[in-house]
Amino acid sequence: MGKSDTDLLYKRRVYMLAQTYFVKDNQQELLLHAHKYDFDMLFFDQMVDFQQAMTISTADDLFVVDLDFLNSLQGADASRKMFFGEMLRQLPQNRSYVYLETSRQGSRYQLQRTLVESNCLAYAEKPISNESLIEKLFNLFTQKRRPDMSRVLSLGNSLPFDPGALKAQRIDLRVHDDLETFHTAVKQAQPDVVIIDEAAFRKSPAVLKIIRYNVESDPSLEIILHQHTPDAALTRQATEMGMDGILSATDPAVATPQLINRINKIRINKDLINKDRATGLLNKIGFKRKAYELIRHAEQEGKQLGLCIVDIDKFKTINDTWGHYFGDIVIKRMSLLLGAYVGEYDLLSRFGGEEFVMLFWDIDRDSLMAKLNKMREAFNAIPFEVEPADIRHFAFSGGVAFFPDLRSENELFLVADEKLYVAKTNGRNQICS
């Protein structure tokens, strides 16, 4: 395996600051579980060593601090609360932390307040099994992935938003000025949020129902009224007609964070529906929604697409031999590998079990086949420790279909599935198109 592939597979680390006895008692087991999930752990029982090591860390790493370590430094100091806050501030301030606390510590509101105000990424309560802690850390790694682009479509251009701040949060704000064609623009853009300016709503309140009652509209679409003048009757009318929210702020410094917070909440809700809980990838529902839109864009822009179905070879044997827990680890590491090779406009999903589906944007046949075979070879090279000192390697097979040779997501999927069957019957560990 080449250096670039090794970097893709093993670039994640967890830096852990804890008491000496905790490190001695748990280090070996934590490392065993962490390596199965494809990340490494570094342990520290001295603050200065922890601080120094973090100078060479990256934004992709995670940092765990056991509060018992900080408490051990406080001793019998009477100013416990202030000293605890001061100790937290000794941690490098350009990183966020996962804090481990006891149930007694978690019951103290002031301590919790200090904690969440001190670069807190997350916190967990002890006792927690090493296996569970590693799984939670893996989930945090998946959450650190860049969020999907969210789209906001506005009727009217008097909105008080900072476009640069929205773009930094991967929010695409589009403005449409024509009231009579706005419902068509909503259908085409498939936005996450629609904002209707007060003047447009006063002119034609029916625009809300025209958008809402379209059976092709996303049922989760949020429609917000931007009401910049106080008018209780207008607010009541909009609410009774089904408006999801009223935005009254006119200062970009206020309105922009409000919209970002709302988009983040929408992302969480959509992730619950459209994402696979085990891997953080799109599930079948989420993939089909996004694939429909991507195919439509490819047709409009004259781009080529490639759809690939990949399936881990002999996965039932893996589960039967080493158990479903180990099978889940293979699936999660497969998801990390595939994710390292897909681009910003590509789609990656887990359809269930050991089957993954990818849709690649603007790619020709030869380029896609070369990329898929590179992914296959990289997966072949991953060492899986099924038992101490017992290393195994696994494989996957894939089938590929191309747009515009095939025009719909369903046609692409059926042909790719046929090619996957060919790959399996021809000996596995290959990609067929």
Side-chain angles (χ1 to χ4, degrees):
M1 183 164 53
K3 183 180 185 302
S4 61
D5 292 329
T6 302
D7 291 341
L8 287 174
L9 291 173
Y10 300 101
K11 67 182 180 180
R12 299 169 180 83
R13 290 186 178 87
V14 173
Y15 294 71
M16 186 170 194
L17 178 64
Q19 290 177 288
T20 304
Y21 78 87
F22 180 91
V23 174
K24 288 182 177 179
D25 291 346
N26 297 278
Q27 180 174 358
Q28 186 174 355
E29 186 179 356
L30 284 169
L31 279 173
L32 178 65
H33 290 301
H35 291 168
K36 288 181 179 179
Y37 280 96
D38 196 29
F39 62 86
D40 197 12
M41 291 191 73
L42 304 176
F43 299 88
F44 303 89
D45 59 6
Q46 298 294 324
M47 176 69 81
V48 64
D49 295 335
F50 184 68
Q51 293 170 326
Q52 184 175 359
M54 289 184 65
T55 61
I56 59 172
S57 64
T58 73
D60 292 324
D61 298 328
L62 290 175
F63 310 94
V64 180
V65 175
D66 189 337
L67 296 190
D68 282 342
F69 173 86
L70 298 183
N71 283 333
S72 70
L73 298 181
Q74 296 182 62
D77 195 314
S79 57
R80 182 184 182 89
K81 189 184 304 180
M82 181 178 295
F83 188 69
F84 176 70
E86 290 297 323
M87 290 305 303
L88 287 174
R89 284 191 285 275
Q90 288 190 35
L91 299 170
Q93 297 299 295
N94 61 339
R95 294 285 187 259
S96 296
Y97 300 92
V98 180
Y99 296 111
L100 297 182
E101 62 181 11
T102 64
S103 58
R104 181 174 178 273
Q105 290 165 338
S107 66
R108 295 167 54 195
Y109 176 78
Q110 289 300 328
L111 186 145
Q112 294 296 96
R113 177 180 174 180
T114 303
L115 208 62
V116 299
E117 292 175 349
S118 302
N119 298 314
C120 180
L121 175 66
Y123 62 85
E125 191 172 289
K126 301 185 299 183
I128 181 172
S129 70
N130 289 331
E131 180 181 325
S132 180
L133 176 59
I134 293 300
E135 185 175 1
K136 302 301 183 187
L137 292 174
F138 174 84
N139 291 338
L140 288 174
F141 274 125
T142 64
Q143 292 170 20
K144 285 166 71 72
R145 291 171 175 162
R146 186 167 60 168
D148 295 335
M149 181 69 75
S150 297
R151 187 170 298 142
V152 177
L153 187 62
S154 155
L155 177 58
N157 57 8
S158 61
L159 299 181
F161 298 123
D162 179 350
L166 295 180
K167 185 177 180 180
Q169 296 295 320
R170 293 183 55 77
I171 299 173
D172 177 22
L173 176 62
R174 301 183 181 184
V175 177
H176 191 88
D177 292 323
D178 185 9
L179 173 64
E180 295 188 1
T181 60
F182 186 63
H183 65 289
T184 303
V186 172
K187 177 182 175 181
Q188 294 175 345
Q190 294 290 305
D192 299 286
V193 173
V194 163
I195 301 178
I196 301 175
D197 185 69
E198 175 185 329
F201 185 72
R202 288 184 184 278
K203 183 177 180 180
S204 179
V207 65
L208 173 60
K209 290 185 176 181
I210 292 173
I211 297 169
R212 182 73 76 195
Y213 292 174
N214 186 341
V215 295
E216 294 186 28
S217 292
D218 184 348
S220 64
L221 173 66
E222 289 210 13
I223 306 178
I224 299 172
L225 175 66
H226 178 221
Q227 183 179 340
H228 36 82
T229 58
D231 186 334
L234 183 68
T235 302
R236 184 169 58 252
Q237 178 189 13
T239 303
E240 291 174 350
M241 289 183 65
M243 198 73 75
D244 295 300
I246 309 295
L247 177 67
S248 57
T250 57
D251 183 353
V254 177
T256 303
Q258 285 182 337
L259 180 59
I260 291 172
N261 291 341
R262 196 171 196 111
I263 289 291
N264 286 336
K265 183 65 69 174
I266 290 171
R267 284 170 170 164
I268 292 172
N269 292 335
K270 287 198 169 187
D271 281 354
L272 292 174
I273 299 171
N274 298 325
K275 296 287 181 72
D276 173 57
R277 297 294 297 275
T279 62
L281 304 180
L282 291 170
N283 58 22
K284 188 174 183 178
I285 295 173
F287 178 84
K288 285 183 171 292
R289 286 180 174 176
K290 289 184 174 293
Y292 173 81
E293 182 177 350
L294 200 64
I295 291 171
R296 182 170 55 82
H297 287 162
E299 189 169 17
Q300 292 172 346
E301 299 181 23
K303 301 293 186 181
Q304 293 178 287
L305 303 175
L307 185 141
C308 181
I309 305 174
V310 299
D311 185 277
I312 300 172
D313 293 333
K314 299 183 179 180
F315 187 72
K316 184 178 185 302
T317 301
I318 294 173
N319 272 339
D320 292 345
T321 305
W322 297 291
H324 290 276
Y325 170 71
F326 181 78
D328 288 344
I329 291 173
V330 175
I331 286 172
K332 290 177 179 181
R333 291 190 66 176
M334 173 85 156
S335 75
L336 291 175
L337 170 73
L338 299 180
Y341 285 87
V342 298
E344 180 178 0
Y345 301 106
D346 304 330
L347 302 181
L348 169 60
S349 68
R350 180 188 176 208
F351 263 40
E354 70 275 25
E355 186 175 78
F356 296 80
V357 181
M358 297 171 282
L359 186 59
F360 292 89
W361 170 261
D362 192 19
I363 194 166
D364 60 63
R365 184 182 302 270
D366 291 343
S367 298
L368 180 54
M369 293 300 291
K371 174 179 284 193
L372 292 171
N373 277 306
K374 186 177 181 182
M375 296 161 72
R376 180 182 57 79
E377 292 165 2
F379 186 69
N380 293 160
I382 297 177
F384 288 92
E385 188 175 20
V386 298
E387 300 289 348
D390 185 359
I391 303 297
R392 301 295 177 97
H393 296 269
F394 304 117
F396 69 74
S397 302
V400 188
F402 294 89
F403 174 93
D405 298 349
L406 302 162
R407 307 297 295 182
S408 70
E409 183 267 338
N410 187 56
E411 289 177 316
L412 287 165
F413 187 88
L414 289 175
V415 171
D417 196 45
E418 291 175 1
K419 299 302 180 182
L420 172 62
Y421 178 78
V422 172
K424 294 285 190 180
T425 57
N426 285 351
R428 302 184 179 89
N429 194 20
Q430 57 188 276
I431 310 294
C432 293
S433 67

